[in-house]
Amino acid sequence: MMLMLVVAIQDVLDGKYEEKSLTIRGWIYRKRESKQTIFLLVRDASGVVQCTVKRDNPSWTQAKKVTIESSVMLEGTVKHDERAPGGYEIAVENLSIIGLAEVFPITEYKSEEFLRNVRHLWLRSRRMNLIMKVRSEVLRFIHDFFKKEGFVEVSPPMFISSACEGGSTLFGLKYFDKQLYLTQSAQLHLEALIYSLEKVYCVAPSFRAEKSRTIRHLTEYWHVEPEWAFADMDDLMRFEENLLSYICHKTVKNCKKEMESLTVDISKLVAVEAPFPRITYTEATERLNSKGFKIKWGEDFGYDEEKALAEDFGKPFFVYAYPRQIKAFYCKTYRDNPDLVMSTDMLVPRIGEISTGGAREDDKEELLRRLKKLGLREEDYDWYIDLRRYGTVPHVGFGLGLERLLTWMLDLENIIDAIPFPRTIRRFYP
RNA sequence: GCCGCCGUAGCUCAGCUAGGUAGAGCGGCUGGCUGUUAACCAGUUGGUCGUAGGUUCAAGUCCUACCGGCGGCGCCA
């Protein structure tokens, strides 16, 4: 038996194999029959190519039999043909069916609800294929950037024994005969690691039992979190804007085809340029109130307020220096104004917050005061307080929601499409 | 936690306002078609109308409860 060249479909479409005999492997994407010719559109991980089977060819019988989504291996000759989508097609000489598919449930008309029910099959769609490729690349750029900046990737625990912030949004679970929780942020554990490694980061899932019913919430999402010793708020914001610029520019460059096929408007990504606008919470409040909102100083912004600000800027920006009472216990206060904390959110149009970060309280007595004031039990945070007992240092960190970032970058209508198997308040199958 | 919307064939929906024999398109199957672009033409197949009660001579349609789903707010990344 002659050994045939097995190639990726995208390479055929790129014209690398004109008039060559070769083998492709994949799945039947579309099938159209006429009297003399059966047209098989075959997809693999890389793309879709049209293959033609003629009536007088021995593979005609197999081609008659094959169904949508059957897995196949076929041999044939690449022809340049303007009538074929993509300009190239394969004249089939031999077709073998690997797995004959039953009638595939996904057809032309489909509702959101149905596609969510058959998510495990919908992942085969061109759209999900492209989104997952971009997601993979974005992850790679994130890792590249952190490594370039000297950060060490670490692996925090998912099981935790006490809350990071409040307890209400934690998923509890039975851990032998004890009560544990799924982590909602790696921050506290990352803070412990900076005393060894100084600059650390992780990309890991976070779990939130928030009963949120919106297009920008998942109960399980991937969280990009660094912690950085001996750094301040200015370092933090500069780092974040450089990271986002890097991701956007690399994605535009390396995922050109995918972005085109997904009809993403890349101009907003090209336009991302450090430095980003920065406004304080107080300035943001004044700005909003001049537009007709009625925010009292000390109140947090809702989604409407975030959207109004974001539309004003039309690009990513920071809000920083928030009132102490609306932020978590670990936020460091400004020493010249203890009503304010060194906390910053990065916001983007349409989505709102994609990251929250800031300086962490590094003074032990101050941290204890904050814990007490918020009614948190000191003994639950004993190990965390140790970090201020033994060689405390000023440090900063942030958390970036990977799926929110992708939703913004790819203009996704719903965050669920930024992850293969989304978990929401109502969805956990398949 | 609060508010709104949806549930009829494998899929997408109409039918409900004003109660009276369960409909269409897609898909499947059969046949036709000179190269199709999720083709086209003809025929055919296909139903616990989400579930349980109630009103009524009669309920897919009206009422109540429940179940499932989607979205908005709040909360957050």
Side-chain angles (χ1 to χ4, degrees), chain A residues 1 29 120 123-124 210 242 255 361 397 405 408:
Chain A
M1 187 184 143
Y29 184 62
H120 52 299
L123 292 174
R124 303 178 183 200
E210 293 157 359
N242 286 333
C255 303
E361 183 53 69
L405 173 64
W408 173 69

Side-chain angles (χ1 to χ4, degrees), chain A residues 127-136 138 248 251-252 255 258-266 268-269 350-351 402-414 417-419:
Chain A
R127 178 177 168 78
M128 291 309 300
N129 171 287
L130 295 165
I131 293 172
M132 289 184 290
K133 283 177 184 165
V134 176
R135 179 186 165 109
S136 167
V138 166
C248 291
T251 305
V252 166
C255 303
E258 288 82 3
M259 304 290 269
E260 265 169 31
S261 300
L262 289 166
T263 64
V264 172
D265 171 23
I266 58 165
K268 69 170 187 301
L269 303 181
R350 195 169 72 91
I351 311 300
L402 178 64
E403 289 80 12
R404 282 197 181 173
L405 173 64
L406 287 165
T407 303
W408 173 69
M409 288 178 70
L410 300 180
D411 303 327
L412 304 180
E413 278 175 29
N414 191 311
D417 281 342
I419 189 166

Side-chain angles (χ1 to χ4, degrees), chain A residues 164-165 187-188 191 328-332 359-361 367 384:
Chain A
C164 177
E165 304 180 28
Q187 181 196 322
L188 305 191
E191 284 187 64
F329 75 90
Y330 50 72
C331 291
K332 184 174 179 174
R360 318 309 190 184
E361 183 53 69
L367 185 66
Y384 187 69

Side-chain angles (χ1 to χ4, degrees), chain A residues 48-95:
Chain A
V48 183
V49 70
Q50 174 163 293
C51 304
T52 58
V53 182
K54 294 292 182 184
R55 197 179 195 100
D56 56 7
N57 191 279
S59 54
W60 178 263
T61 324
Q62 288 297 87
K64 283 289 274 190
K65 203 174 120 188
V66 81
T67 50
I68 300 285
E69 286 304 313
S70 292
S71 47
V72 295
M73 178 158 79
L74 61 83
E75 296 170 16
T77 307
V78 178
K79 306 282 182 193
H80 182 71
D81 194 319
E82 287 304 331
R83 295 171 297 185
Y88 288 92
E89 66 182 23
I90 297 174
V92 178
E93 283 130 32
N94 193 9
L95 170 69

Side-chain angles (χ1 to χ4, degrees), chain A residues 57 90 132 181 228 230 257 284 339 343 352 356 385 406 418 428:
Chain A
N57 191 279
I90 297 174
M132 289 184 290
Y181 306 92
W228 183 3
F230 307 111
K257 268 187 191 144
D339 289 338
S343 177
T356 294
I385 298 159
L406 287 165
F428 34 80

Side-chain angles (χ1 to χ4, degrees), chain A residues 381-392:
Chain A
Y381 295 90
D382 203 34
W383 71 263
Y384 187 69
I385 298 159
D386 267 358
L387 306 179
R388 278 72 183 165
R389 279 191 187 105
Y390 308 113
T392 190

